[in-house]
Amino acid sequence: MYTDNLIGFGLAFASSAFIGSSFIIKKKGLQRAGASGPRASSGGYGYLLQPLWWVGMITMIVGELANFIAYTYAPAVLVTPLGALSIIVSAVLAHFLLKEKLRKMGILGCLLCIVGSTVIVLHAPSEHSISSVEEIWDLATQPAFLLYTASAITVVLVLVLYCEPRYGQTNIMVFIGICSIIGSLTVMSIKAIGIAIKITLEGSSQVAHFQTWVFAMIAITCITTQLNYLNKALDTFNTAVVSPIYYAMFTSLTIFASAIMFKDWSGQSAGNIVSVLCGFITVLSGTMVLHSTREPDPPPSTEYSSLSPQISWLIHANGEIWKQKDNDELHPEFIGIIQQDHFK
C-alpha cells in the first residue's frame, strides 16, 4: 500500500506541473482568440481555431491522464490536494508570461501550499482494496452519496440558469463554483473507471459490466461541462486568482465526496486525520494568501472614456470660438451638454 501511495504521489506531482502550465498556455490562446472575435466568456468559440489553445489542451490532457492513473493507486485525499502544486506553477508562469505580478505575499502563499501538501502526503490514508466494479457501484448508490449527487446537481442548475446570466461576468465564484462541484463528481467517476481498468489489467475484465460504461458516460459529461466553464473563468478573470480559488473549492468538495463514497477515513487514527486536515487548512491558507494579492481588474472602457484633459476642443459658444487647453475647465455650455446625457 505504501508503494501504491508513492506511485500515486509521483503521478500527481507530474500532473500538477502539466496542468499548471496548461492554464497559462490556454489563457494565451484565449487572449489571441478574443482579439479577433467573440471572447469565450461571451459565448464565443473562436479559441477552437487557435493552435496555442490546443497546445494547452493537450498539455492539460497529459496532466489529467497522469492524474487519472494516480487515482487508481492512491486515495483522493492524497492525490487531490497535490493540485496545489499546479497553483504554484501557474502563478509563477503567469508572472513571467502574462505579466500578472506575483508579489511577496503570493510567494508566501506558494510556500504555504508546499508545506501543507507535504503534511498531507506524510499522513495520507492507504487505499482500500476493491475487487470489482460492482463494489464501486454499491458505494456510488449508497443513500449518503446519492444525496450528495442530487444536491450538487441542484446547485449547479441554479448557478447555470439563474446566477450565470446575472453575475457570471462580475462574480468569480459563479464559473468556478460550477467547475468545482462538477469536478468532484468527475473525480469519483474517473476513479471508478481507473479502478475498473486496473482490475481488468490484472486479469479480471470489467468491460462487460454496464456499471463501467455508466461511469464512463458520467465522466465524459462532467469533463465537458468542467472545461467549458473553466474556459469562461480563465477568459474573464485573472489567472493567478482563478487557479487558487478553483483549487480550494475543487479540492474541498472532492475530499468531501470521496469521504462519503469511498470512506477514506475509515480505520484511520485520530492523529493522521487531524494531520491531514491541518495540512489541508495550510494549503487553503496559502490559496487565500494568493487570492489577497490579486490586482484590481481594469475598468471597462466606454465610448467616451478616451476624452481626457490632453485633448483640445473647439467649441462654438455665444458666437465665439473657444479652445480648451490641457488644464482648463470645461465651458459652462459644454458642461450643460454633458449633464443632459448628450453622449447616450
Side-chain angles (χ1 to χ4, degrees):
M1 286 298 182
Y2 177 79
T3 302
D4 285 349
N5 274 9
L6 189 60
I7 294 174
F9 166 74
L11 290 168
F13 184 87
S15 170
S16 295
F18 280 106
I19 292 175
S21 302
S22 73
F23 274 108
I24 308 305
I25 300 172
K26 288 170 66 180
K27 175 93 175 188
K28 294 288 285 186
L30 290 169
Q31 288 177 340
R32 291 186 181 181
S36 58
R39 300 177 61 182
S41 57
S42 302
Y45 293 94
Y47 59 86
L48 294 175
L49 302 177
Q50 281 292 330
L52 190 59
W53 185 87
W54 283 106
V55 171
M57 189 65 190
I58 293 172
T59 305
M60 174 171 277
I61 290 173
V62 173
E64 293 294 351
L65 181 61
N67 205 42
F68 168 77
I69 301 174
Y71 278 114
T72 67
Y73 287 96
V77 70
L78 168 61
V79 176
T80 308
L82 289 177
L85 301 177
S86 68
I87 299 174
I88 299 172
V89 172
S90 63
V92 171
L93 291 180
H95 176 78
F96 291 104
L97 301 180
L98 300 180
K99 308 306 179 183
E100 298 176 358
K101 293 184 179 179
L102 180 64
R103 304 182 186 279
K104 292 181 179 179
M105 290 300 292
I107 297 175
L108 175 61
C110 292
L111 293 176
L112 287 173
C113 290
I114 293 174
V115 172
S117 297
T118 302
V119 173
I120 291 173
V121 170
L122 293 176
H123 297 276
S126 298
E127 184 77 292
H128 297 294
S129 178
I130 297 176
S131 59
S132 69
V133 74
E134 284 92 348
E135 289 185 33
I136 308 174
W137 183 261
D138 291 339
L139 294 173
T141 55
Q142 60 184 312
F145 189 73
L146 289 177
L147 177 61
Y148 173 82
T149 302
S151 301
I153 293 174
T154 300
V155 173
V156 167
L157 288 176
V158 171
L159 289 174
V160 171
L161 300 178
Y162 179 81
C163 297
E164 182 185 355
R166 294 168 175 81
Y167 313 112
Q169 299 298 313
T170 57
N171 192 326
I172 194 173
M173 301 306 293
V174 175
F175 292 147
I176 293 183
I178 297 172
C179 291
S180 302
I181 295 171
I182 294 296
S184 67
L185 299 178
T186 301
V187 170
M188 298 303 103
S189 57
I190 286 293
K191 187 172 179 65
I193 297 170
I195 293 175
I197 294 175
K198 183 181 178 182
I199 295 172
T200 299
L201 294 177
E202 291 174 350
S204 179
S205 177
Q206 305 295 304
V207 177
H209 298 278
F210 79 92
Q211 293 95 335
T212 302
W213 298 104
V214 172
F215 285 127
M217 293 302 298
I218 294 173
I220 293 171
T221 302
C222 290
I223 290 172
T224 303
T225 305
Q226 225 179 320
L227 288 176
N228 183 37
Y229 283 95
L230 182 58
N231 282 332
K232 291 185 178 183
L234 287 171
D235 195 40
T236 307
F237 302 100
N238 190 302
T239 306
V241 179
V242 170
S243 298
I245 297 179
Y246 174 55
Y247 164 80
M249 290 190 65
F250 169 69
T251 304
S252 300
L253 291 171
T254 299
I255 290 177
F256 183 61
S258 183
I260 296 173
M261 180 172 171
F262 291 99
K263 298 179 174 60
D264 291 330
W265 304 112
S266 178
Q268 297 299 308
S269 66
N272 279 340
I273 294 175
V274 171
S275 296
V276 171
L277 291 177
C278 288
F280 181 54
I281 291 172
T282 303
V283 172
L284 289 181
S285 300
T287 62
M288 292 304 102
V289 171
L290 280 171
H291 177 52
S292 69
T293 65
R294 177 186 182 183
E295 295 180 338
D297 295 328
S301 60
T302 61
E303 293 180 0
Y304 49 91
S305 60
S306 60
L307 299 180
S308 65
Q310 286 73 30
I311 299 177
S312 298
W313 296 89
L314 289 175
I315 300 177
H316 189 274
N318 296 328
E320 298 180 356
I321 300 298
W322 170 71
K323 183 177 181 180
Q324 181 198 5
K325 295 182 173 60
D326 289 349
N327 298 321
D328 285 347
E329 295 182 357
L330 291 177
H331 191 280
E333 292 188 8
F334 184 65
I335 295 175
I337 291 175
I338 295 177
Q339 290 174 343
Q340 294 170 20
D341 299 326
H342 178 75
F343 291 97
K344 291 186 177 180

